[in-house]
mmCIF file of all heavy atoms in Angstrom:
data_model
loop_
_atom_site.group_PDB
_atom_site.id
_atom_site.type_symbol
_atom_site.label_atom_id
_atom_site.label_comp_id
_atom_site.label_asym_id
_atom_site.label_seq_id
_atom_site.Cartn_x
_atom_site.Cartn_y
_atom_site.Cartn_z
ATOM 1 N N LEU V 18 59.145 149.761 133.494
ATOM 2 C CA LEU V 18 59.831 150.783 132.691
ATOM 3 C C LEU V 18 60.344 151.932 133.495
ATOM 4 O O LEU V 18 61.308 152.665 133.146
ATOM 5 C CB LEU V 18 58.951 151.316 131.574
ATOM 6 C CG LEU V 18 58.777 150.500 130.279
ATOM 7 C CD1 LEU V 18 57.881 151.224 129.312
ATOM 8 C CD2 LEU V 18 60.187 150.344 129.587
ATOM 9 N N VAL V 19 59.672 152.196 134.630
ATOM 10 C CA VAL V 19 59.967 153.422 135.407
ATOM 11 C C VAL V 19 60.547 153.017 136.750
ATOM 12 O O VAL V 19 60.370 151.917 137.230
ATOM 13 C CB VAL V 19 58.704 154.235 135.516
ATOM 14 C CG1 VAL V 19 58.193 154.741 134.145
ATOM 15 C CG2 VAL V 19 57.600 153.544 136.287
ATOM 16 N N GLN V 20 61.144 153.994 137.401
ATOM 17 C CA GLN V 20 61.665 153.771 138.770
ATOM 18 C C GLN V 20 60.514 153.382 139.706
ATOM 19 O O GLN V 20 59.391 153.798 139.543
ATOM 20 C CB GLN V 20 62.347 155.043 139.234
ATOM 21 C CG GLN V 20 63.706 155.225 138.554
ATOM 22 C CD GLN V 20 64.407 156.497 139.043
ATOM 23 O OE1 GLN V 20 63.780 157.269 139.796
ATOM 24 N NE2 GLN V 20 65.629 156.661 138.664
ATOM 25 N N GLY V 21 60.868 152.674 140.704
ATOM 26 C CA GLY V 21 59.873 152.183 141.647
ATOM 27 C C GLY V 21 59.457 150.768 141.420
ATOM 28 O O GLY V 21 58.655 150.202 142.104
ATOM 29 N N SER V 22 60.004 150.158 140.319
ATOM 30 C CA SER V 22 59.752 148.748 140.058
ATOM 31 C C SER V 22 60.465 147.873 141.102
ATOM 32 O O SER V 22 61.299 148.360 141.907
ATOM 33 C CB SER V 22 60.314 148.402 138.623
ATOM 34 O OG SER V 22 61.691 148.549 138.546
ATOM 35 N N SER V 23 60.160 146.604 141.105
ATOM 36 C CA SER V 23 60.732 145.733 142.138
ATOM 37 C C SER V 23 62.252 145.707 142.070
ATOM 38 O O SER V 23 62.933 145.588 143.117
ATOM 39 C CB SER V 23 60.252 144.274 141.936
ATOM 40 O OG SER V 23 60.476 143.866 140.601
ATOM 41 N N SER V 24 62.878 145.850 140.902
ATOM 42 C CA SER V 24 64.295 145.813 140.789
ATOM 43 C C SER V 24 64.910 147.155 141.136
ATOM 44 O O SER V 24 66.119 147.215 141.494
ATOM 45 C CB SER V 24 64.737 145.459 139.358
ATOM 46 O OG SER V 24 64.300 146.452 138.435
ATOM 47 N N GLY V 25 64.144 148.218 141.098
ATOM 48 C CA GLY V 25 64.645 149.540 141.369
ATOM 49 C C GLY V 25 65.598 150.114 140.300
ATOM 50 O O GLY V 25 66.254 151.110 140.512
ATOM 51 N N VAL V 26 65.573 149.443 139.069
ATOM 52 C CA VAL V 26 66.472 149.920 138.071
ATOM 53 C C VAL V 26 65.634 150.378 136.872
ATOM 54 O O VAL V 26 64.724 149.667 136.405
ATOM 55 C CB VAL V 26 67.401 148.756 137.606
ATOM 56 C CG1 VAL V 26 68.287 149.192 136.419
ATOM 57 C CG2 VAL V 26 68.263 148.246 138.733
ATOM 58 N N SER V 27 65.882 151.585 136.410
ATOM 59 C CA SER V 27 65.126 152.108 135.293
ATOM 60 C C SER V 27 65.684 151.583 133.921
ATOM 61 O O SER V 27 66.878 151.239 133.833
ATOM 62 C CB SER V 27 65.120 153.638 135.275
ATOM 63 O OG SER V 27 66.483 154.096 135.234
ATOM 64 N N TRP V 28 64.867 151.590 132.946
ATOM 65 C CA TRP V 28 65.273 151.100 131.635
ATOM 66 C C TRP V 28 65.852 152.266 130.784
ATOM 67 O O TRP V 28 65.568 153.420 130.943
ATOM 68 C CB TRP V 28 64.017 150.583 130.938
ATOM 69 C CG TRP V 28 63.539 149.231 131.390
ATOM 70 C CD1 TRP V 28 63.326 148.826 132.691
ATOM 71 C CD2 TRP V 28 63.202 148.106 130.574
ATOM 72 N NE1 TRP V 28 62.868 147.537 132.675
ATOM 73 C CE2 TRP V 28 62.793 147.081 131.419
ATOM 74 C CE3 TRP V 28 63.187 147.950 129.142
ATOM 75 C CZ2 TRP V 28 62.343 145.857 130.903
ATOM 76 C CZ3 TRP V 28 62.724 146.665 128.717
ATOM 77 C CH2 TRP V 28 62.356 145.678 129.559
ATOM 78 N N THR V 29 66.588 151.791 129.771
ATOM 79 C CA THR V 29 67.015 152.675 128.690
ATOM 80 C C THR V 29 66.494 152.181 127.400
ATOM 81 O O THR V 29 66.774 151.028 127.043
ATOM 82 C CB THR V 29 68.575 152.853 128.576
ATOM 83 O OG1 THR V 29 69.090 153.356 129.811
ATOM 84 C CG2 THR V 29 68.984 153.676 127.386
ATOM 85 N N LEU V 30 65.680 152.960 126.702
ATOM 86 C CA LEU V 30 65.104 152.534 125.407
ATOM 87 C C LEU V 30 65.826 153.230 124.290
ATOM 88 O O LEU V 30 66.032 154.447 124.356
ATOM 89 C CB LEU V 30 63.627 152.895 125.374
ATOM 90 C CG LEU V 30 62.671 152.235 126.419
ATOM 91 C CD1 LEU V 30 61.278 152.748 126.158
ATOM 92 C CD2 LEU V 30 62.750 150.705 126.242
ATOM 93 N N LYS V 31 66.252 152.532 123.302
ATOM 94 C CA LYS V 31 66.789 153.137 122.084
ATOM 95 C C LYS V 31 65.717 153.993 121.386
ATOM 96 O O LYS V 31 66.029 155.100 120.915
ATOM 97 C CB LYS V 31 67.376 152.096 121.146
ATOM 98 C CG LYS V 31 68.724 151.659 121.527
ATOM 99 C CD LYS V 31 69.352 150.806 120.382
ATOM 100 C CE LYS V 31 70.851 150.525 120.650
ATOM 101 N NZ LYS V 31 71.610 151.759 120.678
ATOM 102 N N MET V 32 64.517 153.493 121.296
ATOM 103 C CA MET V 32 63.467 154.276 120.704
ATOM 104 C C MET V 32 62.110 154.009 121.387
ATOM 105 O O MET V 32 61.792 152.808 121.718
ATOM 106 C CB MET V 32 63.307 153.975 119.203
ATOM 107 C CG MET V 32 62.141 154.742 118.554
ATOM 108 S SD MET V 32 61.977 154.462 116.803
ATOM 109 C CE MET V 32 63.375 155.375 116.189
ATOM 110 N N LEU V 33 61.344 155.024 121.608
ATOM 111 C CA LEU V 33 59.979 154.919 122.075
ATOM 112 C C LEU V 33 59.072 155.622 120.998
ATOM 113 O O LEU V 33 59.092 156.829 120.830
ATOM 114 C CB LEU V 33 59.780 155.615 123.428
ATOM 115 C CG LEU V 33 58.311 155.674 123.978
ATOM 116 C CD1 LEU V 33 57.694 154.286 124.088
ATOM 117 C CD2 LEU V 33 58.303 156.291 125.383
ATOM 118 N N ASP V 34 58.474 154.842 120.194
ATOM 119 C CA ASP V 34 57.685 155.281 119.003
ATOM 120 C C ASP V 34 56.252 155.276 119.287
ATOM 121 O O ASP V 34 55.601 154.187 119.351
ATOM 122 C CB ASP V 34 58.063 154.359 117.857
ATOM 123 C CG ASP V 34 57.551 155.002 116.507
ATOM 124 O OD1 ASP V 34 56.697 155.917 116.559
ATOM 125 O OD2 ASP V 34 57.890 154.498 115.421
ATOM 126 N N LEU V 35 55.701 156.429 119.481
ATOM 127 C CA LEU V 35 54.230 156.565 119.748
ATOM 128 C C LEU V 35 53.516 157.350 118.561
ATOM 129 O O LEU V 35 52.435 157.872 118.787
ATOM 130 C CB LEU V 35 54.027 157.367 121.039
ATOM 131 C CG LEU V 35 54.583 156.651 122.292
ATOM 132 C CD1 LEU V 35 54.451 157.633 123.504
ATOM 133 C CD2 LEU V 35 53.947 155.357 122.562
ATOM 134 N N SER V 36 54.143 157.335 117.402
ATOM 135 C CA SER V 36 53.617 158.030 116.316
ATOM 136 C C SER V 36 52.286 157.526 115.888
ATOM 137 O O SER V 36 51.966 156.320 116.066
ATOM 138 C CB SER V 36 54.588 158.017 115.085
ATOM 139 O OG SER V 36 54.787 156.665 114.713
ATOM 140 N N LEU V 37 51.436 158.377 115.338
ATOM 141 C CA LEU V 37 50.089 158.082 114.794
ATOM 142 C C LEU V 37 49.133 157.605 115.854
ATOM 143 O O LEU V 37 48.170 156.901 115.517
ATOM 144 C CB LEU V 37 50.190 157.013 113.677
ATOM 145 C CG LEU V 37 51.162 157.410 112.483
ATOM 146 C CD1 LEU V 37 51.206 156.264 111.509
ATOM 147 C CD2 LEU V 37 50.711 158.684 111.896
ATOM 148 N N ASN V 38 49.380 157.946 117.110
ATOM 149 C CA ASN V 38 48.355 157.868 118.163
ATOM 150 C C ASN V 38 47.574 159.155 118.123
ATOM 151 O O ASN V 38 47.876 160.078 118.846
ATOM 152 C CB ASN V 38 49.017 157.573 119.542
ATOM 153 C CG ASN V 38 49.343 156.114 119.749
ATOM 154 O OD1 ASN V 38 48.560 155.301 120.209
ATOM 155 N ND2 ASN V 38 50.570 155.770 119.345
ATOM 156 N N TRP V 39 46.539 159.192 117.241
ATOM 157 C CA TRP V 39 45.909 160.470 116.996
ATOM 158 C C TRP V 39 45.283 161.048 118.196
ATOM 159 O O TRP V 39 45.092 162.275 118.322
ATOM 160 C CB TRP V 39 44.835 160.283 115.882
ATOM 161 C CG TRP V 39 45.354 159.609 114.600
ATOM 162 C CD1 TRP V 39 45.150 158.404 114.193
ATOM 163 C CD2 TRP V 39 46.295 160.237 113.737
ATOM 164 N NE1 TRP V 39 45.770 158.174 113.006
ATOM 165 C CE2 TRP V 39 46.540 159.270 112.752
ATOM 166 C CE3 TRP V 39 46.955 161.439 113.665
ATOM 167 C CZ2 TRP V 39 47.460 159.470 111.686
ATOM 168 C CZ3 TRP V 39 47.804 161.655 112.629
ATOM 169 C CH2 TRP V 39 48.050 160.706 111.646
#
Side-chain angles (χ1 to χ4, degrees):
L18 276 180
V19 297
Q20 287 180 351
S22 63
S23 57
S24 66
V26 179
S27 59
W28 284 48
T29 296
L30 298 180
K31 279 191 171 295
M32 177 179 287
L33 176 55
D34 189 347
L35 300 174
S36 60
L37 304 180
N38 278 271
W39 305 112

